[in-house]
């Protein structure tokens, strides 16, 4: 047998036998090769090469007395290296002196085997030390993982420990950072130091009952920082049980969830109607999206505006509040009530526990109750009537319920359940009917301008009229331009624009002041319409009296074409305004790139200008920007003397609205604001 022969099996523990005498090596090989992989080294250096190599052995049987480097030096070098210090070393020696054994143990040897050795003893000692090595590695691994878990817990949590009486014995850095107390201020105190006085005492009683009984407690509650700020924590308290079976200390691991709590509160506010406290439209849309089989009923209070007008807004709010309470109560826990907005409410059922027929029956009972029981508003008892639309299914449930409600109101029905034919018939029937109405009105001259005055706030006199499109129906009803969408789809929109231009030009000789006409971006970029406008507005007695209002919400994107159009008509004396400014993009780039004369501040801003600071601020910014750019401002929807006073206070140049004057088929020659 070669001196360097090795018998290694990777599936078994590997033993390195180090001895300079072949007969000793042979004896050990015969004793161990059946159970272990064997490596052999005949001197100290070769042994170190194998130990420090890529696959170190699991145990060494090391001869003490060897020429050159003896076993003690080999042992010392192995134990000095952190990578190999855990390998068990058993000295094999003829020396049995205690002093020599002490020397070996001091160097890190695990045991001594005295020559001549007993084979069974060698097997037993090798097996024992390999098992001890395995157990040591397992224990070190567990300790390492435990240290890592502790480090992760300490890094991610607010940690504190108390004794059995609740006195704090340890806090980590996160505790100090969160609450603002130093360790000296906390150690030896109880958690009452950081307790929020508003937290119910019952919570702490339940907490102590749980952990004193040896159980883990979890919960979310408030504490107080040193500066008085509130901090919400999600806390887990683990009792550490002693040998007697009773808790000897308590470990608290908590997470600061203040931001999450505030986010939840904000989300809840955004999803809640402020007046009734019911979920609002935002929450309804979220719940519909999450539902698998929703049943939705929309309930509208009929003629609610009349209630506001007759009984006052305060009583109108009382009606809405009471309706919300009744709907919430009558849902019975399985139907959720919502206030979508204004006088519109909704009831939503989800799941498979309710059929469409049962839901429709519930909505009918709710409607009867709402109508039979008046709402008490101080001395007034207000009776209401309601209409409902019902829909089942996840596909456009909200839209379909709204369509069913609209059809029920149009047909004066208590409620209707949506079906597909309703949408198709309604859509096509309305389109065809309005298309025919537009065609007939154009042919018979029933598309006419109604003129609404615009007053100069500096002089109080009317200086301009806006020509508003109206359709006179065959029965004489005056219809506002709600039909423009149908006109565009039926390709009659251009004819409407040309009709309005022609009729305004015909009216110019019979009135004084400027005349404003509405144009869309579609009018401007349509070559035929643009050519028509160039021709009709060219005469010197026409162009200087025309103001062309471009609707800002259309989204002005075709800057090149629009700028060229404006430049050509300005050369003919026309002036330009951006209508509804502030309702859409409100991009001041429009003003810089287009030569605009007037900005018409959107009615949604003006109507709220008394009570809304935001509306006042927006109006102020628009007025200031317009003045700096050399433009005039016009306030739309001035509906009361208070609004007009605020408009003047803000320095808006002109006013328009029902307080100034309602649209009329005739533009008066001249009159002052006091006539309004």
């Amino acid at each position: 047998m070669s001196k360097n022969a090795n018998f290694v099996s990777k599936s078994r523990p590997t033993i390195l036998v180090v001895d300079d005498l072949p007969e000793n090596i042979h004896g050990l090989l015969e004793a161990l090769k059946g159970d272990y992989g064997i490596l052999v080294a005949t001197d100290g250096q070769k042994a170190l090469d194998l130990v420090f190599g890529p696959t170190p052995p699991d145990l060494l049987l090391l001869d003490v007395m060897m020429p050159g480097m003896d076993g003690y030096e080999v042992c010392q070098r192995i134990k000095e290296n952190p990578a190999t210090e855990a390998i068990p070393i058993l000295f094999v020696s003829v020396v049995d002196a205690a002093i020599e054994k002490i020397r070996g143990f001091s160097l890190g040897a695990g045991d001594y085997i005295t020559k001549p050795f007993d084979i069974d003893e060698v097997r037993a000692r090798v097996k024992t030390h390999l098992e001890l090595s395995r157990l040591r590695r397992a224990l070190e691994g567990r300790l390492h993982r435990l240290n890592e878990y502790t480090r992760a817990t300490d890094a991610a949590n607010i940690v504190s420990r108390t004794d059995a009486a609740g006195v704090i014995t340890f806090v980590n850095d996160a505790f100090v950072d969160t609450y603002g107390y130093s360790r000296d201020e906390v150690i030896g105190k109880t958690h009452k130091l950081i307790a929020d006085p508003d937290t119910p005492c019952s919570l702490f009683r339940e907490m102590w009952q749980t952990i004193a009984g040896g159980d883990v407690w979890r919960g979310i509650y408030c504490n107080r920082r040193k500066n008085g700020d509130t901090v919400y924590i999600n806390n887990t308290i683990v009792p550490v049980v002693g040998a007697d079976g009773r808790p000897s200390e308590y470990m608290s691991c908590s997470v600061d969830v203040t931001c999450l709590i505030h986010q939840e509160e904000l989300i809840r506010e955004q999803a809640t109607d402020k007046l009734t406290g019911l979920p609002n439209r935002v929450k309804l849309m979220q719940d519909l999206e999450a539902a698998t089989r929703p049943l939705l009923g929309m309930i509208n209070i009929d003629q609610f505006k009349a209630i506001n007008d007759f009984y006052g807004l305060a009583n109108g709010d009382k009606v809405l509040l009471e309706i919300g309470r009744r709907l919430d109560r009558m849902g019975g826990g399985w139907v959720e009530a919502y206030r979508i907005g204004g006088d519109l409410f909704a009831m939503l059922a989800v799941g498979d526990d309710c059929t469409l027929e049962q839901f429709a029956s519930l909505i009918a009972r709710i409607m009867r109750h709402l109508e039979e029981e008046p709402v008490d508003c101080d001395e007034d008892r207000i009776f209401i009537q309601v209409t409902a639309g019902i829909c089942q299914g996840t596909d456009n449930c909200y839209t379909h319920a709204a369509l069913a409600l609209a059809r029920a109101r149009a047909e004066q029905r208590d409620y209707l359940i949506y079906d597909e034919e309703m949408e198709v018939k309604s859509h096509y029937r309305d389109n065809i009917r309005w298309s025919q109405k537009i065609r007939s009105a154009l042919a018979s001259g029933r598309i006419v301008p109604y003129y609404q005055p615009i007053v100069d706030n500096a002089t109080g006199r009317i200086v301009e009229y806006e020509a508003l499109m109206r359709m006179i129906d065959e029965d004489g009803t005056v219809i506002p331009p709600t039909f423009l969408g149908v006109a565009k789809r039926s390709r009659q929109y251009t004819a409407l624009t040309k009709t309005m231009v022609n009729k305004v030009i015909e009216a110019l000789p019979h009135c004084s002041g400027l005349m404003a006409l509405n144009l869309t971006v579609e009018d401007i970029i349509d070559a035929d319409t643009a050519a028509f406008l160039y021709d009709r507005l060219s005469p010197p007695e026409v162009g200087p009296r025309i103001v062309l209002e471009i609707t800002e919400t259309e989204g002005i994107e075709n800057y090149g074409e629009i700028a060229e159009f404006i430049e050509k008509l300005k050369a003919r004396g026309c002036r330009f305004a951006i209508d509804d400014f502030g309702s859409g993009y409100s991009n001041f780039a429009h003003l810089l790139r287009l030569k605009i004369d007037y900005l018409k501040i959107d009615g949604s801003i003006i109507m709220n200008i008394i009570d809304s600071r935001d509306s006042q601020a927006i109006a102020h910014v628009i007025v200031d920007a317009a003045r700096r750019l050399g433009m005039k401002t016009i306030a739309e929807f001035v509906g009361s003397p208070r609004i007009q006073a605020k408009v003047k206070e803000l320095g808006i140049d002109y006013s328009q609205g029902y307080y100034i004057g309602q649209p009329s088929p005739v533009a008066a020659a001249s009159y002052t604001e006091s006539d309004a």
Side-chain angles (χ1 to χ4, degrees), residues 599-618:
L599 283 184
K600 298 193 73 173
I601 303 174
D602 186 65
S604 63
I605 297 172
I606 300 302
M607 285 190 296
N608 295 304
I609 206 166
I610 299 296
D611 301 317
S612 170
R613 292 184 178 180
D614 290 342
S615 293
Q616 293 177 23
I618 293 170

mmCIF file of all heavy atoms in Angstrom, residues 599-618:
data_model
loop_
_atom_site.group_PDB
_atom_site.id
_atom_site.type_symbol
_atom_site.label_atom_id
_atom_site.label_comp_id
_atom_site.label_asym_id
_atom_site.label_seq_id
_atom_site.Cartn_x
_atom_site.Cartn_y
_atom_site.Cartn_z
ATOM 1 N N LEU A 599 -60.945 86.890 -21.272
ATOM 2 C CA LEU A 599 -61.043 85.598 -20.589
ATOM 3 C C LEU A 599 -62.389 85.551 -19.880
ATOM 4 O O LEU A 599 -62.681 86.404 -19.044
ATOM 5 C CB LEU A 599 -59.935 85.438 -19.542
ATOM 6 C CG LEU A 599 -58.527 85.107 -20.026
ATOM 7 C CD1 LEU A 599 -57.623 84.899 -18.822
ATOM 8 C CD2 LEU A 599 -58.529 83.878 -20.882
ATOM 9 N N LYS A 600 -63.204 84.534 -20.201
ATOM 10 C CA LYS A 600 -64.479 84.366 -19.517
ATOM 11 C C LYS A 600 -64.283 83.329 -18.413
ATOM 12 O O LYS A 600 -64.053 82.155 -18.689
ATOM 13 C CB LYS A 600 -65.567 83.922 -20.490
ATOM 14 C CG LYS A 600 -65.833 84.938 -21.597
ATOM 15 C CD LYS A 600 -67.112 84.636 -22.351
ATOM 16 C CE LYS A 600 -68.330 84.958 -21.536
ATOM 17 N NZ LYS A 600 -69.591 84.839 -22.292
ATOM 18 N N ILE A 601 -64.340 83.766 -17.166
ATOM 19 C CA ILE A 601 -64.084 82.889 -16.021
ATOM 20 C C ILE A 601 -65.267 81.950 -15.847
ATOM 21 O O ILE A 601 -66.420 82.370 -15.797
ATOM 22 C CB ILE A 601 -63.850 83.717 -14.750
ATOM 23 C CG1 ILE A 601 -62.687 84.701 -14.967
ATOM 24 C CG2 ILE A 601 -63.551 82.803 -13.569
ATOM 25 C CD1 ILE A 601 -62.484 85.660 -13.821
ATOM 26 N N ASP A 602 -64.969 80.667 -15.764
ATOM 27 C CA ASP A 602 -66.006 79.638 -15.766
ATOM 28 C C ASP A 602 -67.017 79.829 -14.634
ATOM 29 O O ASP A 602 -66.677 80.235 -13.524
ATOM 30 C CB ASP A 602 -65.365 78.257 -15.642
ATOM 31 C CG ASP A 602 -66.386 77.152 -15.782
ATOM 32 O OD1 ASP A 602 -66.966 77.015 -16.869
ATOM 33 O OD2 ASP A 602 -66.629 76.440 -14.794
ATOM 34 N N GLY A 603 -68.279 79.490 -14.933
ATOM 35 C CA GLY A 603 -69.358 79.667 -13.975
ATOM 36 C C GLY A 603 -69.196 78.868 -12.705
ATOM 37 O O GLY A 603 -69.671 79.271 -11.640
ATOM 38 N N SER A 604 -68.531 77.689 -12.775
ATOM 39 C CA SER A 604 -68.351 76.886 -11.565
ATOM 40 C C SER A 604 -67.507 77.614 -10.531
ATOM 41 O O SER A 604 -67.639 77.381 -9.330
ATOM 42 C CB SER A 604 -67.693 75.550 -11.925
ATOM 43 O OG SER A 604 -66.392 75.762 -12.456
ATOM 44 N N ILE A 605 -66.624 78.500 -10.988
ATOM 45 C CA ILE A 605 -65.813 79.310 -10.073
ATOM 46 C C ILE A 605 -66.644 80.474 -9.533
ATOM 47 O O ILE A 605 -66.662 80.744 -8.329
ATOM 48 C CB ILE A 605 -64.553 79.823 -10.794
ATOM 49 C CG1 ILE A 605 -63.680 78.645 -11.233
ATOM 50 C CG2 ILE A 605 -63.765 80.782 -9.912
ATOM 51 C CD1 ILE A 605 -62.522 79.045 -12.126
ATOM 52 N N ILE A 606 -67.351 81.155 -10.424
ATOM 53 C CA ILE A 606 -68.110 82.346 -10.029
ATOM 54 C C ILE A 606 -69.257 81.985 -9.082
ATOM 55 O O ILE A 606 -69.518 82.692 -8.098
ATOM 56 C CB ILE A 606 -68.641 83.075 -11.274
ATOM 57 C CG1 ILE A 606 -67.474 83.519 -12.172
ATOM 58 C CG2 ILE A 606 -69.488 84.269 -10.876
ATOM 59 C CD1 ILE A 606 -66.481 84.429 -11.492
ATOM 60 N N MET A 607 -69.950 80.870 -9.340
ATOM 61 C CA MET A 607 -71.093 80.499 -8.498
ATOM 62 C C MET A 607 -70.677 80.236 -7.054
ATOM 63 O O MET A 607 -71.477 80.395 -6.131
ATOM 64 C CB MET A 607 -71.782 79.255 -9.066
ATOM 65 C CG MET A 607 -72.609 79.531 -10.309
ATOM 66 S SD MET A 607 -73.627 78.097 -10.779
ATOM 67 C CE MET A 607 -72.367 76.894 -11.168
ATOM 68 N N ASN A 608 -69.430 79.808 -6.842
ATOM 69 C CA ASN A 608 -68.959 79.486 -5.491
ATOM 70 C C ASN A 608 -68.065 80.565 -4.894
ATOM 71 O O ASN A 608 -67.408 80.336 -3.875
ATOM 72 C CB ASN A 608 -68.197 78.155 -5.520
ATOM 73 C CG ASN A 608 -69.087 77.000 -5.896
ATOM 74 O OD1 ASN A 608 -70.096 76.760 -5.256
ATOM 75 N ND2 ASN A 608 -68.731 76.291 -6.954
ATOM 76 N N ILE A 609 -68.044 81.722 -5.516
ATOM 77 C CA ILE A 609 -67.053 82.731 -5.154
ATOM 78 C C ILE A 609 -67.339 83.385 -3.807
ATOM 79 O O ILE A 609 -66.451 83.955 -3.182
ATOM 80 C CB ILE A 609 -66.981 83.794 -6.282
ATOM 81 C CG1 ILE A 609 -65.595 84.442 -6.285
ATOM 82 C CG2 ILE A 609 -68.083 84.826 -6.143
ATOM 83 C CD1 ILE A 609 -65.328 85.236 -7.527
ATOM 84 N N ILE A 610 -68.582 83.251 -3.318
ATOM 85 C CA ILE A 610 -68.920 83.844 -2.019
ATOM 86 C C ILE A 610 -68.378 82.987 -0.880
ATOM 87 O O ILE A 610 -67.739 83.484 0.049
ATOM 88 C CB ILE A 610 -70.448 84.008 -1.877
ATOM 89 C CG1 ILE A 610 -70.986 84.953 -2.969
ATOM 90 C CG2 ILE A 610 -70.800 84.532 -0.485
ATOM 91 C CD1 ILE A 610 -70.455 86.359 -2.862
ATOM 92 N N ASP A 611 -68.611 81.671 -0.957
ATOM 93 C CA ASP A 611 -68.312 80.795 0.176
ATOM 94 C C ASP A 611 -67.004 80.028 0.039
ATOM 95 O O ASP A 611 -66.524 79.469 1.024
ATOM 96 C CB ASP A 611 -69.454 79.783 0.354
ATOM 97 C CG ASP A 611 -70.782 80.480 0.598
ATOM 98 O OD1 ASP A 611 -70.795 81.442 1.377
ATOM 99 O OD2 ASP A 611 -71.781 80.059 -0.003
ATOM 100 N N SER A 612 -66.449 79.966 -1.146
ATOM 101 C CA SER A 612 -65.252 79.145 -1.358
ATOM 102 C C SER A 612 -64.009 80.021 -1.497
ATOM 103 O O SER A 612 -63.897 80.811 -2.439
ATOM 104 C CB SER A 612 -65.419 78.282 -2.616
ATOM 105 O OG SER A 612 -64.200 77.660 -2.952
ATOM 106 N N ARG A 613 -63.087 79.867 -0.572
ATOM 107 C CA ARG A 613 -61.823 80.601 -0.674
ATOM 108 C C ARG A 613 -61.019 80.137 -1.883
ATOM 109 O O ARG A 613 -60.294 80.923 -2.488
ATOM 110 C CB ARG A 613 -61.012 80.398 0.604
ATOM 111 C CG ARG A 613 -61.637 81.058 1.830
ATOM 112 C CD ARG A 613 -60.723 80.911 3.043
ATOM 113 N NE ARG A 613 -61.284 81.568 4.213
ATOM 114 C CZ ARG A 613 -60.713 81.599 5.402
ATOM 115 N NH1 ARG A 613 -59.533 80.990 5.574
ATOM 116 N NH2 ARG A 613 -61.282 82.218 6.415
ATOM 117 N N ASP A 614 -61.142 78.844 -2.198
ATOM 118 C CA ASP A 614 -60.425 78.326 -3.372
ATOM 119 C C ASP A 614 -60.904 79.033 -4.634
ATOM 120 O O ASP A 614 -60.094 79.433 -5.481
ATOM 121 C CB ASP A 614 -60.643 76.820 -3.513
ATOM 122 C CG ASP A 614 -59.923 76.034 -2.425
ATOM 123 O OD1 ASP A 614 -59.010 76.604 -1.804
ATOM 124 O OD2 ASP A 614 -60.271 74.861 -2.215
ATOM 125 N N SER A 615 -62.235 79.190 -4.778
ATOM 126 C CA SER A 615 -62.775 79.865 -5.963
ATOM 127 C C SER A 615 -62.310 81.316 -6.012
ATOM 128 O O SER A 615 -61.960 81.829 -7.084
ATOM 129 C CB SER A 615 -64.303 79.793 -5.950
ATOM 130 O OG SER A 615 -64.742 78.463 -6.111
ATOM 131 N N GLN A 616 -62.287 81.976 -4.864
ATOM 132 C CA GLN A 616 -61.817 83.356 -4.830
ATOM 133 C C GLN A 616 -60.353 83.443 -5.247
ATOM 134 O O GLN A 616 -59.954 84.330 -6.007
ATOM 135 C CB GLN A 616 -61.994 83.930 -3.429
ATOM 136 C CG GLN A 616 -63.442 84.105 -3.004
ATOM 137 C CD GLN A 616 -63.560 84.612 -1.579
ATOM 138 O OE1 GLN A 616 -62.631 85.221 -1.047
ATOM 139 N NE2 GLN A 616 -64.712 84.373 -0.957
ATOM 140 N N ALA A 617 -59.554 82.502 -4.752
ATOM 141 C CA ALA A 617 -58.115 82.511 -5.076
ATOM 142 C C ALA A 617 -57.894 82.275 -6.561
ATOM 143 O O ALA A 617 -57.059 82.939 -7.203
ATOM 144 C CB ALA A 617 -57.389 81.452 -4.249
ATOM 145 N N ILE A 618 -58.649 81.316 -7.132
ATOM 146 C CA ILE A 618 -58.502 81.021 -8.564
ATOM 147 C C ILE A 618 -58.893 82.240 -9.391
ATOM 148 O O ILE A 618 -58.200 82.620 -10.337
ATOM 149 C CB ILE A 618 -59.349 79.801 -8.947
ATOM 150 C CG1 ILE A 618 -58.788 78.537 -8.275
ATOM 151 C CG2 ILE A 618 -59.378 79.616 -10.467
ATOM 152 C CD1 ILE A 618 -59.686 77.330 -8.403
#
